[in-house]
């Protein structure tokens, strides 16, 4: 096969073996695979194959299922279409997988042959010492890793005769690539003492395999909601081809850091870092693949940090003292309960308060809007969900607030009034008769407000 051009993007080229199954970069490909020795005693191999000459074993039904899951991990992100065929004297898949004692004797977990025209091209051989192929365990990661070789990726740390590019430093770990050897502790440990392993191709893997075969734009095109374990560490990269999607961390109690920008990592869920069963916050364990857009995020009950991207985000902190940054786009920021710090960024942002308990009236409980801009960005404060006049009868239902400017609350009946203390840059609101406010919001540097700055 002729050598195809490199990408000239370092993190992609560092993974390219210069062998691939297609004849043009970005071209989709259909590949067959098979399981030697399964359902047939007539599986044959080319002569002189060391893995066969030593001793080889077929995969069990469970191991085949997990290998198919590893195939799906690659086909979900790229235009690789895998079709199973029988394995006998007349038919074999382009990718074949089995165990070989030669791999164990070498001290390896597995190896695979690059794409090509030889009969053994694409074949994957695993050590029979591997047993637990559940997602997150090292043997399952080995399957995905060796398949990476079989479809054209090289080790991240080794050059090839026609490509000397490699990854170095922190980038040469499984946090960034399945094709690395160096482990990563950000998702913690399993009970057997091994680090939690990736369950998907990682950030650089996805970029590289999509360069070779194109991106699979049929994967998760709906309005998907991504949740993460609060009992077990996870290490993976999200590929999502479309829809209005959400990172939902409402089940989490530890501090979470959510970054919705493509090509960036979030710290989501917990990790067993001390091998004692207790959990601390995970660290940079969930990546969003390049060219993926996630629109919404929901925090948990810890003190979370949520960072939006360039589209119109809805970012909700949940409980805890949260820090939320919308960045570009017309964003909706919802601090929720706790003392929250809200920065809309550029765009027409809405700061939404759904209950009087979302922002208290003291320094230690009051939310801060860092960059409220009512002249250039036309930001707004949304109080419409809060019932302005609590009560029954004529007061039943969700009543709207009235903005009274800088005037004091009505000493007889302040219900439904919102005022602005311009000297101290604080909005106060009351939804009962007395003149004591039920909620307040600090607006950094804001000197003037009108009713047009609110959704009442």
């Amino acid at each position: 096969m002729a050598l195809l051009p490199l990408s000239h993007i370092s993190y992609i080229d560092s993974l390219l073996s210069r062998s691939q199954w297609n004849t043009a970069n970005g071209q989709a490909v259909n590949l067959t695979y098979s399981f030697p020795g399964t359902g047939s005693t007539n599986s044959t191999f080319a002569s002189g194959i060391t893995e066969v000459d030593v001793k080889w074993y077929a995969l069990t039904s469970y191991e085949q299922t997990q290998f198919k899951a590893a195939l799906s991990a690659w086909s979900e992100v790229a235009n690789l279409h895998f079709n199973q065929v029988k394995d006998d004297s007349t038919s074999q898949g382009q990718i074949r997988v089995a165990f070989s004692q030669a791999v164990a004797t070498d001290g390896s977990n597995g190896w695979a042959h690059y794409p090509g025209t030889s009969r053994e091209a694409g074949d994957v051989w695993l050590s029979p010492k591997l047993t637990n192929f559940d997602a997150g365990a090292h043997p399952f990661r080995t399957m995905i890793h060796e398949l990476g070789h079989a479809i054209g990726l090289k080790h991240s740390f080794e050059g090839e005769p026609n490509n000397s590019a490699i990854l170095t430093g922190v980038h040469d770990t499984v946090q960034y690539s399945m094709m690395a050897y160096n482990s990563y502790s950000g998702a913690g440990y399993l009970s057997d003492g091994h680090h939690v392993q990736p369950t998907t191709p990682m950030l650089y893997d996805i970029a590289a395999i999509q360069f070779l075969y194109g991106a699979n734009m049929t994967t998760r095109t709906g309005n998907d909601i991504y949740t993460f374990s609060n009992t077990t560490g996870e290490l993976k990269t999200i590929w999502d081809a479309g829809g209005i999607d959400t990172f939902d961390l409402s089940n989490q109690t530890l501090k979470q850091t959510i970054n919705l920008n493509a090509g960036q990592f979030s710290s989501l869920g917990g990790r067993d870092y001390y091998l004692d069963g207790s959990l601390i916050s995970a660290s940079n364990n969930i990546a969003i693949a390049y060219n993926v857009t996630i629109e919404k995020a929901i925090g948990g009950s810890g003190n979370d940090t949520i960072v939006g991207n360039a589209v119109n985000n809805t970012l909700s902190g949940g409980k805890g003292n949260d820090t939320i940054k919308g960045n570009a786009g017309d964003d909706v920021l919802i601090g929720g309960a706790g003392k929250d710090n809200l920065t809309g960024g550029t765009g027409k942002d809405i700061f939404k308060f759904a209950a009087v308990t979302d922002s208290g009236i003291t320094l230690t409980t009051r939310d801060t809007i860092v960059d409220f801009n009512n002249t250039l960005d036309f930001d707004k404060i949304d109080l419409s969900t809060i019932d302005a006049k609590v009560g029954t009868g004529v007061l039943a239902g969700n009543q709207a607030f009235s903005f009274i400017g800088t005037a004091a609350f009505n000493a007889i009946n302040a219900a439904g009034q919102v005022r602005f203390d311009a000297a101290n840059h604080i909005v106060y609101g009351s939804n009962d008769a007395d003149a004591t406010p039920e909620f307040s919001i600090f607006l950094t540097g804001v000197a003037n407000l009108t009713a047009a700055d609110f959704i009442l």
Side-chain angles (χ1 to χ4, degrees):
M1 293 183 180
L3 290 177
L4 296 177
L6 292 168
S7 71
H8 303 295
I9 299 172
S10 61
Y11 58 81
I12 291 178
D13 291 347
S14 295
L15 299 177
L16 302 182
S17 70
R18 306 302 300 277
S19 298
Q20 56 202 85
W21 290 105
N22 52 14
T23 57
N25 288 325
Q27 183 183 69
V29 68
N30 294 301
L31 296 172
T32 59
Y33 69 95
S34 60
F35 299 106
T38 303
S40 170
T41 59
N42 297 320
S43 293
T44 60
F45 298 87
S47 61
I49 301 296
T50 301
E51 297 93 341
V52 177
D53 292 343
V54 175
K55 192 171 185 181
W56 69 276
Y57 312 85
L59 272 65
T60 66
S61 176
Y62 156 72
E63 291 157 353
Q64 289 179 47
T65 297
Q66 295 308 100
F67 188 79
K68 291 177 182 178
L71 287 168
S72 295
W74 287 110
S75 64
E76 278 195 347
V77 301
N79 288 324
L80 290 159
H81 308 288
F82 298 108
N83 300 292
Q84 185 176 358
V85 297
K86 63 181 180 178
D87 196 297
D88 58 25
S89 59
T90 61
S91 170
Q92 299 94 31
Q94 291 163 289
I95 295 174
R96 306 170 81 188
V97 57
F99 293 102
S100 173
Q101 189 60 42
V103 181
T105 301
D106 183 69
S108 301
N109 288 315
W111 60 58
H113 298 272
Y114 289 144
T117 57
S118 66
R119 190 172 176 183
E120 64 267 28
D123 288 355
V124 174
W125 294 97
L126 302 171
S127 169
K129 292 183 178 181
L130 302 180
T131 55
N132 176 18
F133 288 92
D134 291 348
H138 199 282
F140 182 71
R141 181 228 157 187
T142 298
M143 280 184 169
I144 299 179
H145 173 100
E146 300 307 338
L147 273 171
H149 290 315
I151 56 180
L153 301 185
K154 70 176 185 67
H155 287 141
S156 59
F157 53 89
E158 290 179 338
E160 291 288 337
N162 295 299
N163 180 15
S164 61
I166 60 171
L167 296 176
T168 59
V170 296
H171 298 275
D172 183 27
T173 68
V174 297
Q175 179 194 17
Y176 285 91
S177 175
M178 274 283 194
M179 308 314 294
Y181 275 9
N182 295 323
S183 61
Y184 179 66
S185 63
Y189 295 88
L190 299 169
S191 59
D192 61 7
H194 291 96
H195 287 107
V196 171
Q197 298 296 314
T199 56
T200 69
M202 294 304 288
L203 183 63
Y204 293 165
D205 303 320
I206 294 174
I209 210 65
Q210 290 180 345
F211 172 75
L212 292 181
Y213 302 107
N216 186 342
M217 298 307 296
T218 66
T219 299
R220 290 182 284 276
T221 57
N223 299 334
D224 299 297
I225 298 175
Y226 294 93
T227 60
F228 302 90
S229 175
N230 57 9
T231 59
T232 304
E234 297 179 85
L235 184 57
K236 60 185 177 182
T237 298
I238 303 298
W239 169 251
D240 185 291
I244 305 299
D245 308 302
T246 304
F247 272 17
D248 184 351
L249 282 298
S250 58
N251 65 326
Q252 303 292 330
T253 57
L254 297 170
K255 173 184 176 181
Q256 306 293 299
T257 300
I258 306 172
N259 189 333
L260 296 188
N261 287 280
Q264 300 297 315
F265 284 87
S266 296
S267 301
L268 306 182
R271 55 174 168 160
D272 184 349
Y273 189 72
Y274 300 104
L275 280 174
D276 61 359
S278 63
L279 296 181
I280 62 173
S281 297
S283 177
N284 293 320
N285 60 318
I286 306 295
I288 296 176
Y290 295 108
N291 301 313
V292 168
T293 301
I294 305 296
E295 290 80 3
K296 300 180 180 182
I298 302 170
S301 57
N303 299 333
D304 303 321
T305 298
I306 304 177
V307 179
N309 51 38
V311 305
N312 300 338
N313 299 132
T314 299
L315 310 175
S316 178
K319 298 178 181 179
N321 301 331
D322 306 311
T323 299
I324 305 177
K325 299 178 181 180
N327 287 329
D330 299 340
D331 305 311
V332 177
L333 281 68
I334 309 166
K339 177 180 170 58
D340 305 309
N341 190 286
L342 311 175
T343 304
T346 58
K348 300 176 182 179
D349 302 312
I350 295 175
F351 301 89
K352 185 176 180 64
F353 297 84
V356 295
T357 54
D358 281 358
S359 186
I361 61 172
T362 67
L363 184 62
T364 58
T365 60
R366 180 185 299 129
D367 286 3
T368 295
I369 299 177
V370 174
D371 65 340
F372 188 82
N373 189 323
N374 56 0
T375 57
L376 297 176
D377 292 339
F378 303 102
D379 295 341
K380 292 187 181 295
I381 298 170
D382 185 353
L383 305 176
S384 62
T385 305
I386 302 174
D387 185 4
K389 299 178 181 180
V390 295
T392 59
V394 295
L395 296 180
N398 184 6
Q399 310 292 312
F401 284 100
S402 296
F403 181 65
I404 62 172
T406 58
F409 285 137
N410 187 313
I412 298 175
N413 187 356
Q417 294 184 342
V418 172
R419 64 178 297 269
F420 182 47
D421 178 351
N424 293 298
H425 316 291
I426 299 174
V427 172
Y428 289 102
S430 174
N431 69 344
D432 62 16
D434 65 57
T436 301
E438 276 65 60
F439 65 91
S440 67
I441 307 161
F442 181 75
L443 307 181
T444 302
V446 176
N448 297 288
L449 288 177
T450 70
D453 298 321
F454 295 87
I455 301 173
L456 298 169

